[in-house]
Amino acid sequence: MATLKDIARALDLSITQVSRALNDHSDVSEDTRLRVKDAARAMNYHPNASARKLVSGRSGMVGLVVPQHRTIGQDGIFLEVVAGLSAQFSGRGMQFVLHIMAEHEPAIPVYQKLIGKALLDGFVLIDPQDQDPRIDFLRKSGIAFVVHGRTGKAMDYPYFDIENEQLAHELTMHLAARGHRRIAFLNGVAGRSYVTRREAGYRRALRDSGAEDLPRLQLNGEMDEATGLTATIRLFSGDAPRPTAIVCGNLRLARGVYQALSALELTVPGDISVVAHDDELPNLRASAFFPALTVTRAPLRDSWDPLVGCLVGAIEGKPVSELQRIGSYGFIEGASVAAAPTAKSASNR
């Protein structure tokens, strides 16, 4: 692999001239800058992160730390996150480092070790928990970071999020406006900040509409097809009053709900109305459901550019107030919602 010295010798320049040209310093002529960069590409030159850190104080490297789990290689959402972030950082000339912890390994010692090596300029945090200890630790460490989501009372850190509470409220109110009073909610794993916010929006909508707030209709779990199927079977088992409508945290849950309702010989929306939030994951479209789902929509891929922008801003020392962004979502009405069954017909289910 070529070094700065090799490029300097090939172009009859000093190592300092080559370094300053590669780093776009204003005192280097355009002709020299182009010659150096062309030579660097031709000679397959890649800057040494440690050396760059010594010169600029930055390595151009950022990290994402995630826990290991058995199906991580088949997790479509995880792959979408990694691919999206990697592409955005690469487009800004930065290196994106993925660190997968051992199963059940505590996170804070991992961050301590990575920060101690002084090679990373910052971190992306995903899936924040309520009162997430990673945020407190990184805030105190002084290293730059950005959170995909919001959590805690003192949100004095960079983040990108969507209005999770409001979208859950809107989906639930849409059902309530059609007369539904027993509305189930299939949410994500309890303790994650977006799950907590969505639950708050759902319950606020129940209060606003006068619908029943029944704990048995609120189920948490992994947001996948299997959970949607088993949770729906559970909702329609036993003698307790059954829901007339279901709110799903994502399309994977909704697909499991549709399968379970079909197995139970219940129709959408004739017997049960269904709505969901749509992250627009690859190979999963709300319009492809039959009948097409009514959804709130905020493509997950729209998160990567603002997240990366916020972390770059944090590394550059910009004010936190400029690095807190909220994305929008849309509401798309499909054909999966109908008026609630009459009290008499509902009581027979």
Side-chain angles (χ1 to χ4, degrees):
M1 183 181 294
T3 65
L4 288 177
K5 187 175 181 179
D6 296 328
I7 299 172
R9 184 184 300 114
L11 298 178
D12 195 24
L13 297 171
S14 70
I15 293 176
T16 299
Q17 285 177 299
V18 170
S19 176
R20 295 184 74 78
L22 289 172
N23 287 284
D24 295 316
H25 284 270
S26 59
D27 60 348
V28 179
S29 71
E30 183 66 16
D31 178 66
T32 299
R33 185 162 33 244
L34 292 175
R35 285 176 58 217
V36 169
K37 290 190 174 184
D38 286 345
R41 281 191 292 271
M43 298 172 72
N44 195 30
Y45 168 76
H46 296 283
N48 179 275
S50 297
R52 181 161 61 180
K53 185 88 172 179
L54 287 172
V55 173
S56 67
R58 300 174 190 166
S59 66
M61 300 171 64
V62 295
L64 172 68
V65 179
V66 296
Q68 171 69 280
H69 59 82
R70 294 172 188 170
T71 60
I72 193 168
Q74 291 79 46
D75 187 334
I77 295 179
F78 172 72
L79 296 176
E80 174 87 355
V81 171
V82 171
L85 288 173
S86 182
Q88 286 292 330
F89 281 117
S90 178
R92 293 171 185 253
M94 302 174 72
Q95 296 183 51
F96 176 63
V97 178
L98 174 64
H99 182 97
I100 300 179
M101 301 185 297
E103 197 167 2
H104 307 304
E105 183 179 11
I108 299 304
V110 172
Y111 282 101
Q112 288 175 323
K113 185 187 302 182
L114 292 172
I115 292 171
K117 291 181 178 180
L119 285 179
L120 298 178
D121 295 332
F123 293 92
V124 179
L125 270 60
I126 61 174
D127 278 340
Q129 306 294 307
D130 295 332
Q131 307 301 323
D132 198 310
R134 298 175 300 172
I135 293 176
D136 291 335
F137 172 76
L138 293 176
R139 186 195 288 114
K140 292 173 182 175
S141 75
I143 195 167
F145 69 96
V146 65
V147 183
H148 187 208
R150 290 168 288 169
T151 187
K153 294 181 180 179
M155 291 184 289
D156 54 350
Y157 50 83
Y159 62 74
F160 175 79
D161 200 5
I162 59 173
E163 293 288 7
N164 282 293
E165 179 176 341
Q166 185 56 35
L167 68 84
H169 182 273
E170 186 166 351
L171 286 171
T172 308
M173 288 298 293
H174 182 74
L175 295 169
R178 303 300 297 274
H180 293 277
R181 291 296 177 267
R182 292 202 303 274
I183 303 171
F185 185 25
L186 306 189
N187 203 356
V189 176
R192 292 176 178 168
S193 62
Y194 75 91
V195 172
T196 301
R197 288 178 179 272
R198 290 183 182 182
E199 180 183 342
Y202 161 78
R203 299 190 70 174
R204 177 162 59 88
L206 297 182
R207 294 193 300 272
D208 291 347
S209 64
E212 297 180 69
D213 189 346
L214 302 173
R216 68 173 300 272
L217 298 184
Q218 301 168 41
L219 302 178
N220 295 86
E222 295 294 339
M223 298 177 74
D224 55 28
E225 192 172 327
T227 299
L229 191 152
T230 56
T232 304
I233 297 297
R234 178 178 169 186
L235 288 170
F236 289 87
S237 300
D239 299 326
R242 300 174 177 183
T244 62
I246 302 174
V247 178
C248 302
N250 70 1
L251 294 196
R252 298 198 297 183
L253 284 168
R255 187 157 61 181
V257 169
Y258 267 50
Q259 290 177 352
L261 293 176
S262 177
L264 293 168
E265 299 185 344
L266 296 171
T267 63
V268 178
D271 296 310
I272 306 295
S273 292
V274 182
V275 298
H277 177 63
D278 181 7
D279 298 300
E280 278 204 359
L281 298 176
N283 304 317
L284 192 57
R285 294 178 291 119
S287 59
F289 282 67
F290 185 78
L293 266 172
T294 292
V295 296
T296 50
R297 178 175 294 164
L300 191 61
R301 62 179 174 271
D302 290 350
S303 302
W304 314 138
D305 179 64
L307 269 176
V308 170
C310 286
L311 181 54
V312 171
I315 293 169
E316 293 174 347
K318 292 183 179 179
V320 171
S321 59
E322 298 179 12
L323 307 175
Q324 297 179 328
R325 303 179 188 175
I326 302 293
S328 61
Y329 69 87
F331 183 89
I332 297 91
E333 187 163 7
S336 62
V337 176
T342 63
K344 181 177 180 180
S345 62
S347 65
N348 292 330
R349 293 195 178 92

